[in-house]
Amino acid sequence: MADPDPLTVRDPLRAAAETMRQVRERCVWSQQITHRDLVPYLIEESHELIEAVEAGDRAELREELGDLLWQVLFHSAVAAQHPDDPFDIDDVARGLAEKMVRRHPHVFADAVATTPHEVLVHWNAAKAAEKRERRSVLDGVPSSMPALARAQKVLGRAARVGAGADVALAAHDAAEIGAAPESEEELGELLLTLAAAAHANGWDAERALRERLRLLEDEVRSAEA
């Protein structure tokens, strides 16, 4: 039986999945691709989507969302061919729907949430129940994240166990003397100034922040012990 023409499939999402299936099975380049091979493309497409969002370009936004969706479909097509533990895009979508239903009991069950804070309480409670095997608040923070984004994640997790007090105090003291940024624009200026200082001194700003984060992570683990 011949493969269907994806452009005649009436459900657009199913058409995209069918397109990916045929590409994976019949394109000699795509047949050789692994999950690890796709990582650079995933990072690139994610950054291009971010750029489209920040630029407010609607046409680019739609295209970049499609490119990111293609990465999800590609990973799912690769996973479907795993010899021992296969899963496909339907399994991915089914798992996602189930998780989102669990994490929105105020939408799909009888829980009540009238403020964004209450929504987050339900979300975090459901997430904690799903991740019972986690032993540290740092579990689930990807080590591959850029240092600055990771710092914000780690600081938020550290506060849960009372760690990072010295960092919070430094931020408070800066605010007290009027040295702290009061807007994202001012924060951007400060970060750029710090990056310029790193450049002038031959320092690696990413490495410096990563190394400081390791100390904070050690503090978190000590607080949890």
Side-chain angles (χ1 to χ4, degrees):
M1 182 177 178
D3 286 327
D5 179 353
L7 298 182
T8 66
V9 177
R10 301 184 71 176
D11 181 338
L13 283 175
R14 179 54 54 192
E18 175 61 24
T19 302
M20 181 67 252
R21 184 188 68 78
Q22 293 188 37
V23 167
R24 174 66 175 177
E25 292 180 359
R26 295 159 54 186
C27 170
V28 292
W29 181 84
S30 299
Q31 289 169 354
Q32 307 303 314
I33 295 298
T34 67
H35 291 297
R36 292 179 66 88
D37 294 332
L38 285 172
V39 168
Y41 301 101
L42 178 60
I43 294 172
E44 180 180 348
E45 297 297 355
S46 297
H47 283 296
E48 288 179 358
L49 174 58
I50 291 169
E51 186 172 324
V53 170
E54 293 179 345
D57 188 321
R58 300 289 294 173
E60 281 294 310
L61 177 60
R62 181 172 65 179
E63 181 176 351
E64 297 304 337
L65 282 169
D67 288 346
L68 196 58
L69 174 60
W70 185 254
Q71 292 299 306
V72 176
L73 294 170
F74 208 150
H75 276 283
S76 299
V78 173
Q81 295 177 338
H82 193 280
D84 303 316
D85 185 22
F87 60 83
D88 61 16
I89 189 62
D90 289 325
D91 298 312
V92 172
R94 188 178 302 110
L96 173 63
E98 291 170 353
K99 180 166 68 176
M100 290 303 105
V101 168
R102 286 195 306 272
R103 293 190 183 182
H104 293 82
H106 55 292
V107 175
F108 299 102
D110 56 1
V112 175
T114 57
T115 67
H117 174 72
E118 291 174 347
V119 171
L120 287 178
V121 168
H122 290 309
W123 176 278
N124 289 329
K127 187 173 181 178
E130 295 165 7
K131 309 294 183 181
R132 287 175 181 163
E133 73 281 2
R134 291 183 175 175
R135 295 293 178 263
S136 169
V137 295
L138 296 176
D139 291 348
V141 179
S143 60
S144 60
M145 288 179 71
L148 190 57
R150 192 162 188 267
Q152 287 194 269
K153 279 278 188 183
V154 171
L155 283 168
R157 302 292 180 90
R160 298 182 193 176
V161 296
D166 56 334
V167 180
L169 180 60
H172 179 268
D173 290 346
E176 285 290 305
I177 62 175
E182 297 182 356
S183 66
E184 281 199 0
E185 182 179 1
E186 290 185 9
L187 176 61
E189 289 290 340
L190 176 58
L191 291 173
L192 185 58
T193 299
L194 292 173
H199 176 73
N201 287 279
W203 299 332
D204 185 321
E206 277 277 314
R207 182 175 61 228
L209 185 52
R210 281 198 306 271
E211 291 178 352
R212 180 61 183 88
L213 275 174
R214 289 192 190 99
L215 297 177
L216 178 56
E217 289 164 350
D218 290 343
E219 184 183 344
V220 169
R221 292 189 175 94
S222 294
E224 292 176 322

